Amino acid sequence: MWRRTVRHLHAGNDPCVGASAGEKTGAYAVRHSRGTRGQSLPLHGVHAHFRSGYEGSAAKSCKMRADPADYKLVSPGNLPAVLSLLANEPAQWLPIAGGTDMMVLYSAGKLSNRRLINIWNIPELRQIEVFPDRICIGAGCTYTALRRHDLISAEFPLLATAASWTGGIANQNRGTLGGNIANASPAADSLPALLVYDAELTLVSVRGERRVDYRNFHTGYKQTVMAADELIRDISLPRRFYGYFSHTRKVGARNAQAISKVCLAALAEISSGTIRDVRIAMGSVAPVPLRLHETERVLSGKKIGPTVIDAARNCAVKEIRPIDDIRSTARYRAAVAGNLVAEFLEKLATEGAHV
Ligand SMILES: Cc1cc2nc3c(=O)[nH]c(=O)nc-3n(C[C@H](O)[C@H](O)[C@H](O)COP(=O)(O)OP(=O)(O)OC[C@H]3O[C@@H](n4cnc5c(N)ncnc54)[C@H](O)[C@@H]3O)c2cc1C
């Protein structure tokens, strides 16, 4: 049954695409610096040749390429001390939170920065504060903390679901939301949810703090507006999407432990069958996590029907900028992206009215 409902997303809608894929779906009816098209874009910063030490022999395949003696790790234990270190020796120190992205680079001998500041145990980065109009999530909160938070599950299900399918349990116990944002992979699972929820980041340094709309944070592939002496302290989400219909989908090679080939997070509010507000974002389809503004414009104020769904699908395919890489092809990504938008709208038409 489940297989039947997802099959149309793949080869069936593009006869030239035959790859099998794993998919995860979450549909909720709750109240309340370099990549360009055609180039190889390593997602998550993990290049194909990073994935093991394999060089033709079993002995070599087990070998770490980095030597711990070459690295220095300090644990200041509080935020002011971390910020001082970042300010006093600009670009010399790199924060390490859960280490789930950095240790991949380290073990591959690709972590060029040798001086690391442990921010895992900083209390200011681990809080989740609820206010009447917003929730403020410390950048050091893990996926497990996000999954277990009742208000996040109830009001921000797209984020809770993304947390639940980010890596495995061990990864969810260590990986942090701030690390996912700062790592700035276009394939990261939580980032489309942050786009549709209008997230705002607080960046801190010894110079003070500044607020940045998350939609302006990424400036290119793996590039952000964050300065070398800044940390992401928290992520703020306005509590105004309660009652929206929400739908999310991750399409990867397997059902677990897979990086997305394409992922979608979408929200909409409809009344009497007419779309009042719609928000669609995707990952793995451009150098940065992408909000599909043109597609949203096509849908805004319309009644959902086959013509509107086709127009939205076509617009989404034109709006994205997918590439061929080790995980997929641009053509497959485009076909799946269009189908994901169509699936969201079909579900919105049938389930969204009952939200
Ligand atoms: C086996 C495995 C499976 C994975 N599966 C997925 C997946 O399915 N989906 C997915 O999206 N990701 C996945 N990841 C990637 C990873 O888990 C996430 O990106 C995670 O959120 C990174 O957080 P971290 O705390 O471990 O970051 P770290 O590795 O500690 O740091 C990553 C980068 O962020 C910077 N950084 C960390 N915190 C801050 C901060 N507060 N302010 C400024 N900079 C900061 C660091 O300096 C570094 O550059 C996987 C990783 C592994 C190893």
Side-chain angles (χ1 to χ4, degrees):
M1 172 69 179
W2 179 80
R3 280 185 179 280
R4 260 195 19 229
T5 60
V6 299
R7 188 164 295 148
H8 70 281
L9 295 170
H10 303 286
N13 272 27
D14 184 344
C16 297
V17 178
S20 67
E23 310 82 17
K24 297 177 180 182
T25 302
Y28 302 87
V30 284
R31 280 219 171 268
H32 42 138
S33 44
R34 291 168 298 268
T36 53
R37 189 173 196 137
Q39 292 178 329
S40 172
L41 179 66
L43 302 178
H44 276 292
V46 184
H47 298 254
H49 63 281
F50 283 14
R51 288 177 294 170
S52 76
Y54 183 74
E55 283 167 8
S57 79
K60 280 184 180 166
S61 74
C62 300
K63 214 168 141 191
M64 299 262 276
R65 292 180 181 171
D67 182 350
D70 294 337
Y71 291 83
K72 180 170 180 181
L73 175 72
V74 297
S75 295
N78 65 75
L79 192 55
V82 170
L83 297 180
S84 293
L85 212 49
L86 288 174
N88 293 342
E89 296 177 74
Q92 296 299 305
W93 293 90
L94 193 62
I96 176 166
T100 60
D101 279 315
M102 287 178 66
M103 291 308 289
V104 174
L105 297 175
Y106 167 81
S107 63
K110 300 285 179 185
L111 187 58
S112 53
N113 203 311
R114 303 292 163 112
R115 300 164 91 188
L116 309 176
I117 311 180
N118 176 21
I119 59 169
W120 173 254
N121 55 356
I122 305 293
E124 295 96 316
L125 304 180
R126 302 296 291 263
Q127 297 165 358
I128 300 181
E129 291 180 282
V130 177
F131 300 97
D133 60 337
R134 68 197 164 95
I135 184 167
C136 194
I137 302 169
C141 289
T142 63
Y143 295 110
T144 301
L146 300 181
R147 289 182 68 175
R148 290 185 178 160
H149 197 277
D150 289 342
L151 188 132
I152 293 176
S153 297
E155 295 190 24
F156 303 99
L158 298 174
L159 183 58
T161 304
S164 77
W165 61 39
T166 297
I169 298 298
N171 197 71
Q172 291 169 15
N173 287 341
R174 285 295 298 191
T176 65
L177 185 56
N180 206 225
I181 297 168
N183 189 54
S185 164
D189 286 316
S190 58
L191 305 187
L194 298 184
L195 279 177
V196 297
Y197 285 135
D198 277 348
E200 186 184 71
L201 309 183
T202 308
L203 305 184
V204 286
S205 70
V206 291
R207 295 173 283 125
E209 65 177 58
R210 62 180 177 129
R211 301 270 172 84
V212 174
D213 285 335
Y214 175 63
R215 65 172 183 270
N216 300 325
F217 183 72
H218 302 284
T219 53
Y221 175 65
K222 290 265 183 180
Q223 291 174 343
T224 75
V225 298
M226 193 166 56
D229 66 343
E230 285 182 313
L231 271 189
I232 304 169
R233 189 186 64 200
D234 56 62
I235 300 99
S236 180
L237 306 176
R239 295 179 62 189
R240 61 185 185 81
F241 299 108
Y242 192 78
Y244 274 58
F245 176 79
S246 60
H247 176 73
T248 186
R249 181 69 93 101
K250 170 174 179 168
V251 177
R254 300 175 296 276
N255 283 337
Q257 297 277 21
I259 304 300
S260 295
K261 292 171 190 280
V262 181
C263 62
L264 166 138
L267 283 177
E269 187 179 50
I270 55 173
S271 109
S272 310
T274 300
I275 299 174
R276 300 287 172 214
D277 187 17
V278 61
R279 302 164 155 263
I280 304 172
M282 284 193 172
S284 277
V285 295
V288 296
L290 195 69
R291 179 98 182 256
L292 274 62
H293 290 292
E294 288 302 321
T295 307
E296 292 172 5
R297 270 191 277 278
V298 163
L299 291 165
S300 195
K302 303 275 171 43
K303 285 198 184 294
I304 305 170
T307 312
V308 168
I309 291 176
D310 272 353
R313 178 205 297 270
N314 294 336
C315 187
V317 170
K318 286 194 189 116
E319 205 172 355
I320 61 175
R321 288 168 283 150
I323 57 158
D324 295 340
D325 67 10
I326 56 168
R327 296 198 178 84
S328 192
T329 62
R331 184 174 181 186
Y332 178 82
R333 287 187 160 112
V336 171
N339 293 345
L340 290 180
V341 168
E343 181 192 66
F344 160 58
L345 295 171
E346 282 156 11
K347 284 187 180 291
L348 179 61
T350 54
E351 300 167 27
H354 310 300
V355 170

